Amino acid sequence: MQVIATAGHVDHGKSTLVRALTGVDPDRWAEERRRGMTIDLGFAWTDLPSGERVAFVDVPGHVRFVGNMLAGVGPVPAVMFVVAADQGWQAQSQEHWEAIEAFGVRHGLLVVTRTDLMDPGPALAAAREHTAWPAVAVSGRTGAGLDRLRHALDRLVAGLPPPDVHAPVRLWIDRAFTVTGAGTVVTGTLAAGTLRVGDVLDLGGEPVRVKALQTLGEPADRVEATARVAVNLRGVDRDRAARGMTLLTPGAWVETDTVDVRHGAGERPPREAVLHIGSAAVPVRVRPFGPGTARLTLGRPLPLRIGDRALLRCSGRPIAGVVVLDVRPPELRRGGAGRRRAAQLARYAGGPRLPDAATVLAWRGVARRAELAASGCDLGGLAAPEAEGWLVDPELWARLAERLGALAAAEPGLPVDAARAALGLPCRGLVEALVRERPPLRVDGGRIVGAGLPAPVAAAVDRLRRELAAAPYRAPDAEQLARLGLNARAIALAARAGVLLRLRDGVVLPAGADTAAARVLARLPQPFTAADARTALGTSRRVVIPLLEHLDALGLTRRLDDRHRVVTAEAPATDAAPDPATRHGVPTASGTPGTGPGRR
């Protein structure tokens, strides 16, 4: 099925023509029949010679009902534009035509009616000044030319681009009413996607379930775009649905009250206007950026995407088309923010280019993949760092990596969460991905380690190594540590960087001393006592007790009773700390940090 809107001046025979083509009277309401004009949207349908079914949205032509006309034209892919032979091109014909152009409708058919009253030549010539669409002359009253019109409609429908039946649903509601025994029913033109009985959709931020579907008067279990469809909603009160609202695939749309747009209203668009899109008409405030671009602040949020076409209309001003360029634009708080934003949008002012996913990501810096897709971005060719569903602009990523290196150097052992806050990132996964790109940095125990130490701290650690070269387990006391230049802050930095092992009671040893001690103790007769360990390691009780407790916590040793322990696991081989039996040296501050798990 395809859907075609009618458009044209009031009383130019649109409804008569639709009735002649379909046998259905689109003037359904008593007021419409009494006044002889279409006030609201009317619908009718027929089968074309090819067998293709086409539905007509018959829109009103009276100037007071331009809003209804816009609601009818907006969601459809093609228009049948009607001009009466006995009246020709009128002012309201021009207003409808401007709306069609502004919406970007590129497919259509020009129909000159009432050929039984006057030669269609002059009216056709006047219309040709505005459009080169194929034209057909007919009489809705006598039926002359209707067969030619049906074949022309067949050719028009055959040339329409196929709809995306797999796209998320956005059904603009153009009518809502109650059917006795069924409940609330809404109607609209399904321009993309597929509806199924049982689907859960979003209506005004609340989930609703599709109870039944009908298209062109026939019940259906599923309806694919493009189609006129009536949706019976289960358990929904009538006052919850109204024209201008939408039925949406949950999570697939960005509802926004601020958008940046390209417009055709000249350099100074009106400061206040009404935005028409789908069946919605919403008041907006307009902030011009420069020639052809502006920011719109909407009176209520709408589900919009990049590339959406809409109309701006202001009393006494012509209709101007707008194209959405961004649905989550940056706030403009700082001085010069408006000028910078105008510069970003300037390349899109002349059309028809639209921002791609990489550009939108660069504007935002960091964005969720799902939100970019819901904004209308094609993510197929996007190459960007990603973690936990978040994407980062590659240029920003490079700057963040440099900043992370500086942070880690200034504070070795920086907690990952502190780095995340300092970098303004939304999740830990992005920080961990940055760390992986900057070896020798790594994450250990929730901290970023592997960065070089400040020079004074590195020198103090070197002095400690030399101090302990002959007796690596004779840990210095507080006075000796101070003499070496290792105050509390320096010890903390070195421990976080993984080059010192900090135990309780102020005991400080080289990194890796714990695993080296476990290997020494494994050579003792098992079980062993603290005194045995003290002798084997050549140290004092002040050092050996916190060291043994540390080995217990690592699972390298296990207490059997108040006096005895056994070595329970083979310590990993390492050159990070000395073995007293071999007198190996310890690593330097610029070398690889110890591999033992004893860093705090």
Side-chain angles (χ1 to χ4, degrees), residues 97-121:
W97 183 251
E98 289 175 353
I100 291 168
E101 287 189 315
F103 266 125
V105 178
R106 298 291 177 257
H107 303 275
L109 186 64
L110 175 64
V111 181
V112 179
T113 59
R114 299 184 182 173
T115 58
D116 55 313
L117 299 180
M118 186 172 289
D119 177 9

Side-chain angles (χ1 to χ4, degrees), residues 7-9 66 69-70 73 79 81 89-106 130-131 133 264 276 309-314 316-322:
H9 185 74
V66 168
M69 183 275 294
L70 298 177
V73 171
V79 169
F81 198 91
W89 194 270
Q90 301 281 314
Q92 291 162 23
S93 304
Q94 181 65 27
E95 187 169 10
H96 279 212
W97 183 251
E98 289 175 353
I100 291 168
E101 287 189 315
F103 266 125
V105 178
R106 298 291 177 257
H130 303 276
T131 177
W133 283 353
H276 294 267
R309 288 182 173 270
L311 297 182
L312 276 182
R313 192 164 186 271
C314 183
R317 300 284 299 270
I319 292 172
V322 300

Side-chain angles (χ1 to χ4, degrees), residues 296-451:
L296 307 183
T297 303
L298 283 61
R300 65 178 175 89
L302 292 176
L304 300 177
R305 284 191 164 184
I306 294 169
D308 275 344
R309 288 182 173 270
L311 297 182
L312 276 182
R313 192 164 186 271
C314 183
S315 178
R317 300 284 299 270
I319 292 172
V322 300
V323 178
V324 176
L325 299 177
D326 197 356
V327 296
R328 282 280 190 264
E331 295 183 0
L332 305 176
R333 291 181 175 178
R334 298 181 180 178
R339 290 192 299 274
R340 289 190 294 273
R341 187 57 173 167
Q344 290 175 339
L345 298 176
R347 62 187 300 195
Y348 304 103
R353 295 180 58 188
L354 292 173
D356 59 14
T359 299
V360 176
L361 182 58
W363 289 346
R364 302 184 189 182
V366 182
R368 286 192 180 277
R369 171 178 284 274
E371 184 180 314
L372 282 180
S375 297
C377 295
D378 180 2
L379 304 181
L382 181 63
E386 181 175 4
E388 298 181 22
W390 290 92
L391 294 164
V392 183
D393 170 55
E395 291 188 7
L396 174 61
W397 185 257
R399 296 194 299 271
L400 290 173
E402 291 298 322
R403 191 175 172 201
L404 176 66
L407 290 171
E411 186 178 349
L414 179 68
V416 171
D417 283 330
R420 180 192 61 77
L423 297 174
L425 291 172
C427 67
R428 290 172 56 97
L430 287 173
V431 179
E432 292 168 352
L434 275 174
V435 170
R436 288 193 293 272
E437 293 193 5
R438 289 193 64 86
L441 294 183
R442 68 186 189 283
V443 175
D444 187 350
R447 294 180 179 273
I448 300 170
V449 300

Side-chain angles (χ1 to χ4, degrees), residues 158-182:
L160 294 178
D164 183 357
V165 298
H166 304 293
V169 168
R170 178 177 59 177
L171 183 74
W172 294 98
I173 296 173
D174 49 41
R175 276 180 171 169
F177 48 90
T178 301
V179 174
T180 302

